[in-house]
Every structure is written in C-alpha cells, then in structure tokens.
Amino acid sequence: MSRARLADLAGLARVACLARLSRLAGSLKLRLALAALAALALGIGSSTTYLVYRAEQATLAERSAQEIAQVSRMARLLSQRVLSQQNSLTVLAGQLQPALMAQTGLLRQKLLDMPLLLTQFDSITLVDSSGAGLLMLDAQGIWPATIQVADRGYFSTAMREQRSTISEPVVSRVTQEVVVILTHPLPAQGGLVLGSVRLRSRDLLSGIADMADTPGIDNAALGTPVEAPALVVTDSQARILAHPDKSLISAPLSAEPLFVGALNRWRQAGSPAESSGLEFSDGQRLVAVAGVAGPDWLVWQSTPRVAVLAPLMKARGEAMRWAASLTLGLALALLFLMWRLLHPLSRLEARAERLFDASLDPQAGWPQASGEIGRLERVMRHVSAERAQLEAFNHRVIQRLESVMTAAPVGIAFMRDRRFELVSGEFCQLLGRCERELLNQPAQLIFGANSDYQRLGAEVHPVFAAGQIYSGEWELLRGDGSRVWARLRAQPVDAREPLAGTIWTAHDITTEISNRQALEWAATHDPLTGLANRAALDRRLAGIFSALPQRLPSALVLVDLDRFKPINDQHGHAAGDAMLRAVSAAAARRVRPGDLLVRLGGDEFVVVLEHCPADVALRVAEDVRHAISSLRLAWEGCQLDVGASAGVAQLTDLMPDAAAWLAAADLACYEAKSAGRGRVCQTPQGPGQANLRLVFNQGSESGPSAASA
C-alpha cells in the first residue's frame, strides 16, 4: 500500500474520530461528568493540604513550647554559673584584708593558692579606689597591673553603689580582646576585685546546652542536611556575648541574619527579659528568648521551621505526589475536552492576531462556530471592518497633518508615550538630525542631561493638569553634539486622554539667549577690565548684611592706585586703559577663590572678603598691593608702573550698613595715602584704639608692621 493511500486512510480516520468527539462534546452529561471530576480533584487536593497544614501547626506549637522551656532552662543554668562566679569573687574579696593587701609577697601567695579562680575567669585583677591596677592573676602567673579603669562604667557603678556588677562587653586594655568584667568591692581597702571573661576564648554556654537537653533535628527525614538550631547570648542591649562564630562577639544581634526578624519583634514588644521565656517566631524560624537573672543577659535560640517539620514534609510530599497523580489524570482528560471544545476559539485567536494586517480582507479568514464562540466571532468580524474604516480615515488625517507640519515655519513634533511619532522638517533641521534618527526614539535623546529631561517632566505635568499650554526655554542637543536654545511649547491632543499624545513646537532662540546673557553680563561687569562693577558690589554687600551674623568674619579692602594720573597725562588714555587692565589681572591672581574683585570707578578697586579673619584680610590686601606695585607695563619703549594704597575695614556687629562699611574702608585707604602711599591701613579692631592703624608699608613686604599710622 502506498504512502499516499496510508495518509488518506489516516485522514479519514482522524475525521471520523473528530466527528465522534464532536458528538460527545455536545453532550451535557459529559460536561457535567467532567465538572464533577474536577470538583473531586479539587476536594482531594484541598483536603490533603488542609490536613497536612493542621498537622504542621500542631507540630510547630509543640516544638515552640519545647524551645521556650529549653532557653528558660539554659538561662537559669547560665544565671547559676554567673552567681557562682560572683560568689567566688565575694569569697576572694573577704579574704583580702588590709594587712594582706599591704604585703605584696603574701598577697601573691594568697592568689596563687586559689587556682580554681582561673577555671572560672581568664584573669583576676585588683584595683584601688582610684581605678589604678595593683596585681593581676592569669594563666601565666601574677603580674603588676598597670591598667587604669576609672573611666569604665562598671567601675563607677561598683564604687558608687558598693555592690557587685557585671559590665557590658568591653575591649580589655591588657589583651585587647572583648571581655565581660565581674566586679566585687573590697570594703576594707576601698578598691575592687575584677574577674575577666574573654568572650572569644571562653564560651558562656559551654556545657549548658548539653545540660538543657536540646532536641535534635531529623536530617534523615528530609534526605539532605539542614541547618541546626542556633544558640546566642546577648546583653540587654542585644550585643552578642556568646556565638558559635567568634568574629561576631560584641557585634549587635542585627549582624546575625538568623535573628534579625525576631530582634525587631522583641524590640517592638518593649525588649522584655522574662526568665520563663518568650516566643518571637516568624514564617521561617522558631525563635525563643529567655532572660538571665542577675546579669540581665538574654539567651536566644533559633531553629529553622524546615528542621521541625522534616517528617511532615516527607509525608506531605508523598500525599502531594498521590494527589498530583490523580489530578494529572483528570487534567489530561479535561485538557483533551477543552481542546476539542475550544478549537474554533484557537482559530479565532489566530485571526485576531492579524486584525491590523492591512493585506487581509476584513471579512476573510474568520472561523465558523456556534454558541458563545460564534457570537464572539461575529463581534470580532465587525470590529475588523470598523478598524479598516478607521485606519483609512487616520491615514487621510495623517497626510493632512504632514502637509501642515511641512509648511509650518517652526519645528513641530507629535509624541506619544514619550517617543517621537511625527516630526517636521523644520524640527529635524533645528536639531541637526534626519527624520529617521528621531522617529520612535525617546524624547530624552534631544536633551544634553538627564536632569534637564526630568525637570521638564516635572514642569509639564502640573501645567497640563491645569488645562494650560506649556511654554519654556531649554538647551537641546543637536546631532553633531552642539547645543541650541529653543522655546518649547506643548499641548496634549486630548487633556482627558493622556495616551492620545502631545503636540510640541520648537523655535530657535539661540541668538536671543546670547543677547540676553550679554546684557546681563554687561549690567554687572566693568566693560574695560571685565571685573564686577558697582551694581554687583551693592548686591553682594546687601546679601552679606541680610545674612548677619552668619557671614562674620568678613572684610572689605579698598585699593587706590598711586601715580596713575601721570600715565594718562604723559602717555594718553590708551596707556591708562592698558594699565587698568594689567592691574585688574594682577589683583585677580592674588584674591581667594570666591572673593569678589570690583572696579569701583576710575583707579579705585574693592575686594569683598567673606568669612575672612582680620589677619587673612590684611595678608590679602598686602598681596594685592605688592602685586600692583611690582607690575611693569611695556608701552611705546617705556616701562610704566604704578603703586597702590589699600584700606581694610573689618565687618562687625556694630556696622550699621553697607555704605558705612565702604566708607570705613575708604577712610583707611585715605589714611594710607596720607601716610606716604604704598601702604595698607585698617580700621580699628575695638574701642580705645587709634582711629586707624598702619599695617604694611613699602619697606615691609612680608608682614604687618607694628608701627602706628
């Protein structure tokens, strides 16, 4: 039999099978049967899940009670151990009588006769009432103690209250290790006996965990090892005193990920320290906390839930596998039925995916079906026809819009979802980019900085929300990397529908911005020297006085050129202008960054020194004067030079206004000229001094002069 014949027979068989399945699919009984099977599968799964859940909750509750009992017992054992250590110190303190303390040899022998102390402590130290160390006993022997503990909190508390204390974790000044210090007063001598426990070498829980009968973890039930319970001891501030990882000693408990959640809940509960134990579990771990009576420590135990639920997890896995097998069988049957019932819907979906394919006839390719799928097919067919008409209308509108954009004298762009969908030729020319480089690109492309683009969005949204047209000036990035200033105007196509898009216009205002900046610069700068002018000076002084006293100390330096008029008279105003420019450049190199150098007019200059003490102001004034006096200007075969006199006025709380401050600097400058020119004078620093003080003169270029003006 040929392959073609076999294929025909297979096709006929498939058609026959489909026909039978079609008849079965129309049966209401079959549909109800499938619904019942689905309900049964759901019932089996939900019942299994619920029963396992109840068992898990009961197991967790029982284990949580065990955890609380365990940490409570460990807390009691740890409290007894600390009490035993305190008793040992009490016994030792009672035997250290004044006569014994006065004889170092006997004292050493007494300490050596008590070797059991070193089984409880790493070292024993005796200190006097001033906190100075006397002797120290450790595993190496007895040594003179050279430490000073008067600044330790535990020392102050023990001496003030004359009682035993336990310190917080501190760094030992002998071993540089983290230790806890137990203290007991020496009433007869007025000092203390200190017992030191190194937290990194001596585990506070050593032996206690075994005595507490900590339940084990059934790793075999899970098939893979799981995390064991974690035991930690902290002080009342949640600083770690005992931990399997010694590097965490003295660290906050928040550094241990296993206890972070429990720590937060413990703090929210008011940081309780119940010796009977409390639970602070979460969804991942069982955490129990118990307070240690006496030292106010806390014992924390954290056990993973997965370790507790290991047997139930295994049982749940078996139950779930059984339920999954049953559900899989039902699902396969249901899947086949759904495929058969929804096959026309699949064809409808395939046709709907090509709903916007203009090459297809809007009425072609739709499946024939009945019932709900048939009604949906007719709705989709109608939508396809309406879509074709709408696309044709939109095409005509876009053609007209493109014509308008081409004829417009300003750049126009249409944006939707922050991307360019239409751009005019004028818009492309403004940005130095072709249409291909802009279409479907984000608007952020034309901004030189992300901050500008984000700021634009922050300005546009409230304007659109108010139903207004946005207008603003922005520096845009051209395709070649250059910048262009543009006035942007924007308006939404439909204020009620943000997804409808936005129309933007852009007009080149680079020349306008340049002219405006030139005018603004000219308004505050001297055209000859490029320095700030009187208007800029007035604004700076007004700002200083409005911010007093935060701007103190500040100073004002007024500089007047010496021998400048002969240059104008003998060599002309061109030479005078050149000299003024040279003087300005020399002075600008001597002032500090942030200081304001002003040409006040003619041959007078002012330097505003903010946050400048008097000695620094005098040094700056002398530097400027010296730079000007050292200047030599070559002019028509001659070497021209000028001198300078300077007056310094320090700003004080008693200065009434900017005019008075400037007048004080002018008066100081006048005194410098009267005293022979080439000098720096300053206004007095306080009452009872001379009106002015000569600070620098021509013969002293290195520092202030002590001579009076």
Side-chain angles (χ1 to χ4, degrees):
M1 186 177 294
S2 66
R3 292 184 178 180
R5 180 59 178 168
L6 289 174
D8 292 340
L9 291 176
L12 292 174
R14 186 163 52 252
V15 170
C17 180
L18 291 176
R20 287 194 297 271
L21 290 176
S22 178
R23 289 192 296 272
L24 289 174
S27 171
L28 179 60
K29 292 180 180 180
L30 179 60
R31 296 184 181 184
L32 292 175
L34 291 174
L37 288 175
L40 178 61
L42 179 62
I44 292 173
S46 60
S47 298
T48 302
T49 302
Y50 176 74
L51 291 175
V52 173
Y53 170 77
R54 289 294 301 272
E56 289 179 352
Q57 296 303 307
T59 301
L60 289 174
E62 180 180 358
R63 182 54 183 266
S64 178
Q66 293 176 359
E67 296 275 333
I68 293 174
Q70 290 157 17
V71 295
S72 177
R73 176 171 172 78
M74 283 187 284
R76 290 195 301 272
L77 293 174
L78 184 56
S79 177
Q80 293 170 7
R81 175 180 291 179
V82 173
L83 180 60
S84 174
Q85 292 173 317
Q86 286 284 18
N87 289 337
S88 297
L89 292 182
T90 301
V91 171
L92 175 60
Q95 296 179 8
L96 298 178
Q97 298 303 316
L100 181 62
M101 294 290 291
Q103 301 183 44
T104 304
L106 293 178
L107 179 60
R108 289 173 178 267
Q109 187 59 46
K110 182 63 177 179
L111 292 177
L112 290 175
D113 290 341
M114 302 179 71
L116 291 179
L117 287 175
L118 294 182
T119 65
Q120 296 179 306
F121 300 97
D122 291 294
S123 66
I124 300 295
T125 304
L126 303 180
V127 298
D128 61 20
S129 59
S130 67
L134 300 174
L135 288 178
M136 182 179 72
L137 170 66
D138 60 15
Q140 306 301 321
I142 296 181
W143 314 92
T146 59
I147 61 172
Q148 172 56 252
V149 298
D151 58 335
R152 297 290 200 181
Y154 63 81
F155 176 82
S156 301
T157 302
M159 292 298 295
R160 181 178 63 254
E161 301 179 7
Q162 284 296 299
R163 64 176 179 84
S164 299
T165 63
I166 301 177
S167 76
E168 71 279 2
V170 297
V171 176
S172 171
R173 289 175 175 166
V174 177
T175 65
Q176 304 304 313
E177 294 186 33
V178 180
V179 299
V180 169
I181 306 296
L182 282 73
T183 71
H184 190 80
L186 298 172
Q189 294 79 26
L192 293 178
V193 56
L194 311 180
S196 174
V197 178
R198 299 179 187 174
L199 297 182
R200 289 196 172 98
S201 60
R202 184 185 294 267
D203 190 352
L204 296 178
L205 289 173
S206 176
I208 291 180
D210 297 334
M211 296 172 63
D213 191 23
T214 304
I217 296 176
D218 187 6
N219 286 334
L222 282 177
T224 57
V226 297
E227 178 187 346
L231 279 172
V232 174
V233 177
T234 69
D235 63 8
S236 60
Q237 303 302 316
R239 286 172 294 192
I240 297 176
L241 304 179
H243 193 284
D245 183 356
K246 301 303 182 182
S247 65
L248 293 178
I249 298 298
S250 81
L253 188 58
S254 57
E256 169 56 83
L258 302 181
F259 292 94
V260 172
L263 175 62
N264 293 333
R265 288 186 293 277
W266 175 72
R267 286 174 173 167
Q268 292 171 0
S271 304
E274 297 291 339
S275 59
S276 58
L278 295 171
E279 179 188 5
F280 295 98
S281 303
D282 57 20
Q284 299 296 325
R285 312 188 66 82
L286 298 179
V287 181
V289 184
V292 180
D296 292 332
W297 293 345
L298 297 165
V299 178
W300 302 70
Q301 177 164 294
S302 174
T303 304
R305 287 167 57 100
V306 65
V308 178
L309 300 177
L312 287 178
M313 291 175 66
K314 182 177 180 180
R316 181 175 61 181
E318 294 176 354
M320 289 302 176
R321 284 192 293 273
W322 176 83
S325 299
L326 179 60
T327 304
L328 178 61
L330 296 174
L332 290 175
L334 183 59
L335 181 63
F336 175 77
L337 181 60
M338 290 177 61
W339 175 85
R340 183 65 188 91
L341 292 175
L342 300 179
H343 182 63
L345 186 60
S346 300
R347 294 180 56 198
L348 180 62
E349 178 185 2
R351 180 59 181 86
E353 289 177 350
R354 304 185 64 185
L355 184 64
F356 295 95
D357 189 347
S359 63
L360 290 180
D361 182 354
Q363 299 296 331
W366 298 98
Q368 298 295 325
S370 60
E372 291 84 352
I373 297 178
R375 289 194 293 273
L376 180 59
E377 176 269 329
R378 289 189 289 274
V379 171
M380 294 295 293
R381 188 193 300 267
H382 176 71
V383 169
S384 178
E386 291 290 336
R387 190 271 315 161
Q389 295 179 7
L390 182 60
E391 286 291 329
F393 174 75
N394 287 342
H395 181 68
R396 292 192 297 271
V397 171
I398 290 175
Q399 286 181 328
R400 295 171 185 171
L401 179 59
E402 289 178 344
S403 299
V404 172
M405 294 175 66
T406 301
V410 297
I412 302 177
F414 172 71
M415 289 199 326
R416 184 157 45 195
D417 194 23
R418 300 184 180 182
R419 292 181 177 271
F420 294 108
E421 290 196 1
L422 287 175
V423 290
S424 69
E426 188 71 20
F427 191 82
C428 295
Q429 182 178 357
L430 174 67
L431 296 174
R433 302 174 186 268
C434 64
E435 183 179 2
R436 183 181 62 259
E437 294 175 315
L438 291 174
L439 290 182
N440 297 320
Q441 295 299 316
Q444 188 176 358
L445 176 71
I446 67 174
F447 286 86
N450 291 337
S451 57
D452 286 351
Y453 178 69
Q454 295 169 357
R455 189 158 50 90
L456 172 64
E459 293 181 7
V460 167
H461 292 157
V463 174
F464 283 1
Q468 300 174 354
I469 298 176
Y470 172 78
S471 179
E473 297 176 353
W474 294 91
E475 189 178 35
L476 305 181
L477 181 66
R478 291 172 56 85
D480 59 2
S482 60
R483 305 298 178 99
V484 59
W485 278 95
R487 180 175 290 108
L488 300 181
R489 291 174 60 86
Q491 183 176 4
V493 173
D494 186 349
R496 297 167 298 180
E497 180 53 58
L499 298 180
T502 309
I503 295 292
W504 290 80
T505 63
H507 178 65
D508 188 351
I509 58 170
T510 303
T511 302
E512 179 183 334
I513 292 294
S514 298
N515 293 338
R516 185 193 307 166
Q517 291 175 345
L519 289 174
E520 291 174 352
W521 187 90
T524 58
H525 288 78
D526 175 48
L528 175 61
T529 62
L531 300 180
N533 61 12
R534 180 60 183 263
L537 174 63
D538 291 341
R539 279 202 293 270
R540 178 65 72 91
L541 296 183
I544 292 175
F545 273 84
S546 65
L548 289 178
Q550 288 79 8
R551 297 295 179 88
L552 294 178
S554 294
L556 206 61
V557 179
L558 192 144
V559 180
D560 194 350
L561 300 184
D562 300 331
R563 306 187 308 279
F564 176 71
K565 187 175 183 300
I567 294 178
N568 276 335
D569 295 342
Q570 298 173 17
H571 301 278
H573 288 284
D577 291 346
M579 178 59 76
L580 288 175
R581 286 192 289 269
V583 166
S584 299
R589 289 192 294 270
R590 295 295 183 173
V591 299
R592 307 174 308 167
D595 294 340
L596 180 67
L597 179 58
V598 181
R599 184 188 177 198
L600 195 59
D603 59 351
E604 287 188 326
F605 299 84
V606 172
V607 185
V608 182
L609 306 172
E610 293 190 52
H611 302 292
C612 181
D615 57 338
V616 177
L618 291 173
R619 186 167 60 250
V620 172
E622 173 58 17
D623 287 347
V624 172
R625 187 204 67 77
H626 184 266
I628 295 173
S629 300
S630 302
L631 181 65
R632 299 295 181 267
L633 175 65
W635 185 265
E636 297 179 351
C638 299
Q639 291 289 329
L640 305 182
D641 64 272
V642 294
S645 300
V648 180
Q650 197 73 21
L651 180 61
T652 67
D653 293 332
L654 302 179
M655 193 68 69
D657 52 33
W661 192 17
L662 190 59
D666 185 58
L667 179 61
C669 182
Y670 174 79
E671 182 65 20
K673 282 185 170 292
S674 299
R677 304 179 185 275
R679 289 166 166 78
V680 175
C681 285
Q682 72 169 349
T683 55
Q685 299 296 306
Q689 298 184 2
N691 290 335
L692 293 169
R693 188 158 60 93
L694 179 63
V695 187
F696 292 97
N697 56 38
Q698 291 175 333
S700 177
E701 301 291 350
S702 60
S705 170
S708 174

